[in-house]
Structure formats: structure tokens, C-alpha cells
Amino acid sequence: MSFFWAFVVGGAICVLGQLLMDVGKLTPAHTMSTLVVLGAIADGCNLYEPLIAFAGAGATVPITSFGNALVHGALEELHKDGYIGIITGIFKVTSAGISAAIIFSFLAALFVKPKG
């Protein structure tokens, strides 16, 4: 049953993103930013962790989980180290994802010629 709920929740997040682009006429970059902010807000309101417990990968794979990770890390380090933890906590949790994005973007730029 956990696979079913992961599919439903992950699919619902993707449907929301598609609706933002089709109905809301947002660009993919605006849609991605909106979903990251929604994930951050959901974590700030303590709604994203129960969603992860319920849906597993259906909540951790979509881009909304990046916003969740940013806020979760910042709040965790805030309680541990004070206000400086807000800055350090963001990078502590998301550094692997940020590093991978930079490295793979660089490799793609080396091997693919842009058309623009």
C-alpha cells in the first residue's frame, strides 16, 4: 500500500506543477520556484514531515522536498547553534544536492551546445 500512496502523493505534486504551467501560464522556472516555496512553507508549518511519513518517496523525490530540506535544516540548526545556524543549516542538509547540480550542469555545458 505504501507504493500506492507514494504514487498518488508524488503524482499529485506533479499535477500541481503541470497545472501551474498550463492554467497559471507560469514558466518552468517559476513553477519550480513556487513548488520549492510551497515545500518550505509546508515544513515551516510542520506539515511536510507527516507527509513524508505517509507517502515516503512520493514526498521526498519531488522538488517540494528541496524546500522542505532548506527550512528543516535551518530550523534544526537554529535550535542547536542559534541564529548563525539558520545559514549553516541550509547548506548542511542540501549540500549534496547543490553540489550535484553544479557538477552535472558544468558537465552538460561541456558536452552540449546551447541553441540560444
Side-chain angles (χ1 to χ4, degrees), residues 17-41:
Q18 194 65 48
L19 287 172
L20 288 171
M21 287 190 288
D22 292 346
V23 177
K25 303 294 184 202
L26 295 179
T27 65
H30 287 110
T31 300
M32 182 176 64
S33 299
T34 301
L35 290 173
V36 169
V37 169
L38 287 176
I41 291 170

Side-chain angles (χ1 to χ4, degrees), residues 5-6 9-10 13 39 42 46-60 64:
W5 289 117
V9 171
I13 293 170
N46 293 321
L47 299 174
Y48 211 82
E49 290 301 316
L51 185 64
I52 290 172
F54 176 71
T60 58
T64 51

Side-chain angles (χ1 to χ4, degrees), residues 46-96:
N46 293 321
L47 299 174
Y48 211 82
E49 290 301 316
L51 185 64
I52 290 172
F54 176 71
T60 58
V61 171
I63 192 71
T64 51
S65 70
F66 186 71
N68 166 55
L70 290 171
V71 171
H72 194 76
L75 292 177
E76 188 176 289
E77 293 297 313
L78 170 69
H79 297 301
K80 192 169 113 181
D81 296 331
Y83 289 109
I84 194 70
I86 294 172
I87 297 168
T88 60
I90 290 172
F91 297 112
K92 183 176 181 181
V93 177
T94 60
S95 61

